[in-house]
Amino acid sequence: MFKSLSRVLFSGILLSSWLAFAEDIKCQASLFLTADLTAWTEAEERIAFSRILDNIDHEETMEGAVLASPSKNDPNYFFHWVRDAALVMKSFLSSDQATRWYSQFKLEKLIGRYFLFEGHLQDLPAPTGLGEPKFRADGSVFEEDWGRPQNDGPALRSLFFIKWANRLLDKGKEKWVRENLFSTMANQKTLIERDLWFVVQNWVHAGFDLWEEKNGHHFFTRYAQRRALLEGAKLARRLGDEDAFQRLVKEANSIADSLHHHLSHKDKYIISNLPVHYFPLNPHALGHGVDVSVVLTLNQNYDPDDSLFKMKNSWVLSTVHKIEESFRAEYPINRREDIPGLGIGRYPGDVFDGAKNEYGNPWFLATLGMAEYYYYLVQELQIDNRIIADDVNIDFLKKILNRDTIYIGDTVYFDKEELRLLTLKADSYVARVKFHVDEDGSMSEQFDRYTGYQRSARHLSWSYAAFLSAIKQRRALPAVLFERH
Ligand code: NOJ
Ligand code: NOJ
């Protein structure tokens, strides 16, 4: 297995790049074999798919609702969250395997039911209108106290339906799309128009973040809002609505400008939340801004033609570095040498555990989000393998290359060997998840920071969705990058 190591040792030049990953992947390659991991991901994919189906087709819900989890207490997740539903449906629809196990016809029926359910929610007199984060699974309004509004919902929901509208247009179903999804922005009647209008009118306002705790402005929310407007603009143009195209692009550009406020020039990473007021679940966690939601944002909105924040953007690299270092230090389970990779949580200092809030834990969707990120990074570096060292990314580069002799202005090249090691790094996160998943393949929301046992909501739809998306990007890489020699 370490044949390449000896080759590397003699080559000198490559030595540094192998050591690059020494700390994280030290002896980890020996802990998991590519073939085993691949076989496991294939089996797990099928399980994830059917577990999501169970949560969509649940007999105790209104048709079309997507349960966050079947758990009814500690925590009660027996609800339809607009965000979770949109993300889950997107990964479900985009899974390359979906039609292998489920007919195209059934898939369309399922999306049709989700569409009707979301249309029903849009009409409900909810406390914060379209910004309402969650609804009861029977399709009624949830009126108790909650962190609301959460303005990422309409953006994520419209992104799903824009994708679907484009697929329908490809199949010549323009009439249906115009009548049900997008007629003209001036109307504000159909589902997508209503969501996009909401985004146009509300993105400047503060709201709660995706973790439902902080009231303010959020990188995750703003980025999804921008992407929704850009995708909406393209759809409008495709349907001949040039006015809407112009208007939406202009607004999206303003959101792009606002994203730069999230760059901390002092600390050199992307800050997730710009606070207005914090919901004090854990006052010690306040103000830090290191948050895996930044990585989830980039994964979810990845577009190789968008140059705003590439995966190899210096700010992104430094944020990833910061996240890894924070959770390496915070979770005892990350100090065990017999488990590959790292367990990643929402943000350092989190205490939410689904019940008593004694201490926060690593999350499946966050750990898988890191894997997905590295698969994307490799894809990007395959096209252009250079990164220029600057004062923001230099710590990441030094760490990953385990080299002190990198100077600002140097061009660092990621050749095949380095790309392989980055792929191994991504795989180490998947292997970490494999370690914590139950024998029957089930995934809850979290795994304990001390014992590694699963915690909080069981069968979390979003955990399975995060698995499907990560594996999709793993499969997009050529086999040669998975060779471990
Ligand atoms: C439930 C939310 O879903 C979770 O994200 C949050 O941490 C807790 N409430 C505490 O506010
Ligand atoms: C808590 C998470 O913080 C939030 O993002 C999610 O929407 C809900 N759980 C439901 O899964």
Side-chain angles (χ1 to χ4, degrees):
M1 181 169 308
F2 280 106
K3 235 192 290 154
S4 84
L5 183 56
S6 49
R7 182 163 60 75
V8 163
L9 281 171
F10 291 114
S11 83
I13 302 170
L14 282 176
L15 172 61
S16 54
S17 53
W18 166 258
L19 290 176
F21 301 85
E23 181 164 351
D24 281 343
I25 329 188
K26 68 176 164 326
C27 68
Q28 289 186 349
S30 61
L31 292 177
F32 60 96
L33 297 171
T34 296
D36 291 353
L37 197 64
T38 302
W40 177 74
T41 59
E42 279 164 10
E44 183 62 25
E45 206 173 3
R46 192 174 182 137
I47 294 168
F49 194 84
S50 75
R51 291 301 189 192
I52 291 177
L53 262 185
D54 291 347
N55 288 352
I56 299 180
D57 259 350
H58 199 282
E59 52 185 14
E60 288 171 57
T61 68
M62 185 172 158
E63 256 195 4
V66 178
L67 279 182
S69 143
S71 168
K72 288 187 175 168
N73 44 51
D74 284 352
N76 182 359
Y77 272 27
F78 207 82
F79 291 94
H80 172 98
W81 264 268
V82 175
R83 165 185 42 262
D84 294 43
L87 295 173
V88 167
M89 290 301 288
K90 186 173 145 208
S91 69
F92 199 69
L93 180 68
S94 325
S95 155
D96 335 281
Q97 306 296 309
T99 47
R100 246 175 65 192
W101 304 315
Y102 208 59
S103 74
Q104 189 60 34
F105 176 76
K106 276 174 148 180
L107 209 59
E108 276 170 22
K109 282 260 175 264
L110 191 124
I111 296 168
R113 294 199 290 270
Y114 169 57
F115 161 75
L116 291 175
F117 186 75
E118 290 294 355
H120 158 78
L121 300 185
Q122 280 188 332
D123 285 335
L124 288 178
T128 51
L130 299 196
E132 194 65 10
K134 71 174 196 183
F135 293 85
R136 296 187 192 280
D138 64 2
S140 62
V141 174
F142 168 78
E143 270 152 348
E144 292 165 33
D145 278 352
W146 205 251
R148 55 164 73 89
Q150 293 177 20
N151 293 340
D152 56 327
L156 297 171
R157 176 168 56 199
S158 62
L159 276 167
F160 173 83
F161 283 107
I162 292 168
K163 204 179 173 71
W164 191 42
N166 279 312
R167 287 209 190 174
L168 293 175
L169 289 176
D170 293 343
K171 291 187 195 157
K173 300 194 177 158
E174 182 172 333
K175 186 162 175 288
W176 198 90
V177 169
R178 283 187 186 278
E179 280 168 8
N180 296 286
L181 290 172
F182 190 98
S183 52
T184 150
M185 276 306 276
N187 264 346
Q188 296 172 49
K189 284 211 176 98
T190 59
L191 189 142
I192 296 175
E193 288 146 33
R194 291 174 76 177
D195 277 345
L196 293 181
W197 266 115
F198 180 88
V199 172
V200 167
Q201 288 169 332
N202 288 282
W203 76 263
V204 287
H205 301 305
F208 278 80
D209 71 328
L210 81 161
W211 308 135
E212 319 193 281
E213 295 176 346
K214 298 173 184 111
N215 195 3
H217 296 283
H218 317 289
F219 189 81
F220 179 93
T221 304
R222 282 178 158 167
Y223 209 104
Q225 289 170 329
R226 167 180 175 267
R227 179 124 300 279
L229 297 189
L230 288 177
E231 295 302 325
K234 282 192 244 164
L235 177 65
R237 177 171 263 181
R238 187 168 180 189
L239 290 167
D241 191 345
E242 193 57 26
D243 284 352
F245 175 84
Q246 299 295 346
R247 169 91 202 259
L248 294 173
V249 168
K250 189 164 162 269
E251 208 71 48
N253 290 340
S254 305
I255 304 182
D257 292 343
S258 80
L259 285 168
H260 294 284
H261 299 310
H262 292 261
L263 307 183
S264 163
H265 290 272
K266 178 174 142 287
D267 295 321
K268 304 212 167 38
Y269 60 83
I270 301 173
I271 296 185
S272 56
N273 324 98
L274 298 176
V276 170
H277 166 70
Y278 280 95
F279 197 63
L281 180 68
N282 172 16
H284 306 295
L286 303 189
H288 201 27
V290 173
D291 194 313
V292 79
S293 67
V294 172
V295 175
L296 305 184
T297 302
L298 298 164
N299 292 342
Q300 283 160 18
N301 297 291
Y302 188 65
D303 175 356
D305 298 327
D306 187 351
S307 56
L308 187 62
F309 284 100
K310 294 235 167 245
M311 295 308 195
K312 62 175 192 169
N313 171 296
S314 301
W315 289 95
V316 175
L317 297 178
S318 65
T319 307
V320 165
H321 180 53
K322 199 84 191 168
I323 291 169
E324 289 180 324
E325 294 315 298
S326 306
F327 290 118
R328 188 198 307 285
E330 183 154 332
Y331 299 145
I333 191 91
N334 283 339
R335 290 194 276 279
R336 276 196 32 195
E337 295 203 353
D338 58 328
I339 321 174
L342 292 169
I344 301 291
R346 298 194 294 185
Y347 55 88
D350 187 7
V351 294
F352 175 64
D353 59 19
K356 297 195 183 120
N357 296 338
E358 284 161 343
Y359 53 85
N361 298 301
W363 284 41
F364 284 107
L365 68 91
T367 307
L368 287 162
M370 294 300 283
E372 186 175 350
Y373 167 77
Y374 277 103
Y375 292 132
Y376 271 126
L377 179 63
V378 174
Q379 288 173 34
E380 223 174 66
L381 288 168
Q382 280 184 294
I383 296 165
D384 178 353
N385 73 345
R386 294 163 302 172
I387 295 184
I388 298 175
D390 59 30
D391 67 333
V392 175
N393 65 19
I394 194 141
D395 287 345
F396 174 89
L397 293 174
K398 280 183 176 169
K399 169 92 185 187
I400 216 114
L401 297 172
N402 199 28
R403 235 198 278 161
D404 281 335
T405 53
I406 298 176
Y407 301 98
I408 292 176
D410 284 357
T411 301
V412 178
Y413 295 91
F414 286 76
D415 293 328
K416 197 163 88 204
E417 200 59 25
E418 285 84 4
L419 292 186
R420 256 189 204 150
L421 293 167
L422 276 180
T423 307
L424 182 62
K425 171 92 175 150
D427 267 4
S428 74
Y429 280 110
V430 176
R432 157 65 60 156
V433 162
K434 174 173 181 260
F435 182 87
H436 296 287
V437 158
D438 277 355
E439 258 170 44
D440 67 355
S442 47
M443 271 187 246
S444 61
E445 183 181 68
Q446 314 176 12
F447 45 94
D448 192 275
R449 63 155 75 183
Y450 298 104
T451 65
Y453 285 109
Q454 298 201 19
R455 299 283 309 258
S456 192
R458 68 196 154 90
H459 295 313
L460 187 81
S461 303
W462 193 354
S463 297
Y464 296 122
F467 182 82
L468 294 182
S469 336
I471 292 314
K472 186 176 163 75
Q473 296 317 318
R474 183 178 196 265
R475 199 174 282 125
L477 293 178
V480 64
L481 293 180
F482 292 92
E483 284 167 14
R484 306 266 166 81
H485 307 291

